[in-house]
Amino acid sequence: MNWFRRFMQGRYGPDSLSLVMLVAALIINAVANFTHLLVLSVIALALLALAFFRMLSRDYNRRYSENQKLLGLCYRVRNSFFRQKDKLAQSKDYRFFKCPSCKNNLRVPRGKGRVYVTCPRCGERFMKKT
Ligand SMILES: [Zn+2]
């Protein structure tokens, strides 16, 4: 076990992105075995090699920033999912519009008839039916 610790000294090691790549490689390999498509086997092998390259890499900063990009993407996807869920929960009492000039999301109470909506960000005024 000591030689392994010495071998991994100064190397980046496993992270979320490497794990995702390994799992993707396994899934793609399983599909490749099932469909007998050589191109999928090659992609799975390339992903596997890339995952190991990342884990054994000594360029800590670059590997770290790659992983941060994945985590940022996951955060944005999760955030947008929860925003949609929140919107759906509020859709009985509110209507949602996008400002035509700055694309800001606006929330207006339902059942007020035709109203002028004023965007708080850019001041654009537009008529909407609530
Ligand atoms: Zn606006």
Side-chain angles (χ1 to χ4, degrees), residues 21-85:
M21 289 169 123
L22 287 174
V23 170
L26 284 176
I27 292 171
I28 291 171
N29 191 46
V31 172
N33 284 340
F34 191 69
T35 58
H36 302 289
L37 283 173
L38 184 67
V39 68
L40 288 182
S41 296
V42 171
I43 290 171
L45 204 63
L47 267 176
L48 195 69
L50 200 59
F52 274 100
F53 164 77
R54 289 192 74 255
M55 287 191 274
L56 300 177
S57 169
R58 291 181 189 278
D59 191 349
Y60 186 90
N61 290 333
R62 186 173 287 175
R63 302 291 90 81
Y64 180 80
S65 78
E66 288 165 359
N67 193 45
Q68 285 304 304
K69 278 180 195 158
L70 173 76
L71 296 180
L73 181 74
C74 288
Y75 175 79
R76 282 195 300 276
V77 167
R78 201 177 318 140
N79 213 21
S80 117
F81 171 76
F82 283 121
R83 247 200 324 266
Q84 289 302 317
K85 198 177 148 201

Side-chain angles (χ1 to χ4, degrees), residues 98-104 106 118-124 126:
K98 256 191 180 17
C99 171
S101 97
C102 74
K103 309 294 179 226
N104 189 20
L106 303 170
T118 307
C119 174
R121 188 195 280 169
C122 68
E124 173 82 7
F126 55 98

Side-chain angles (χ1 to χ4, degrees), residues 12 61 92 111 114:
Y12 183 66
N61 290 333
K92 216 171 76 178
R114 293 178 77 81

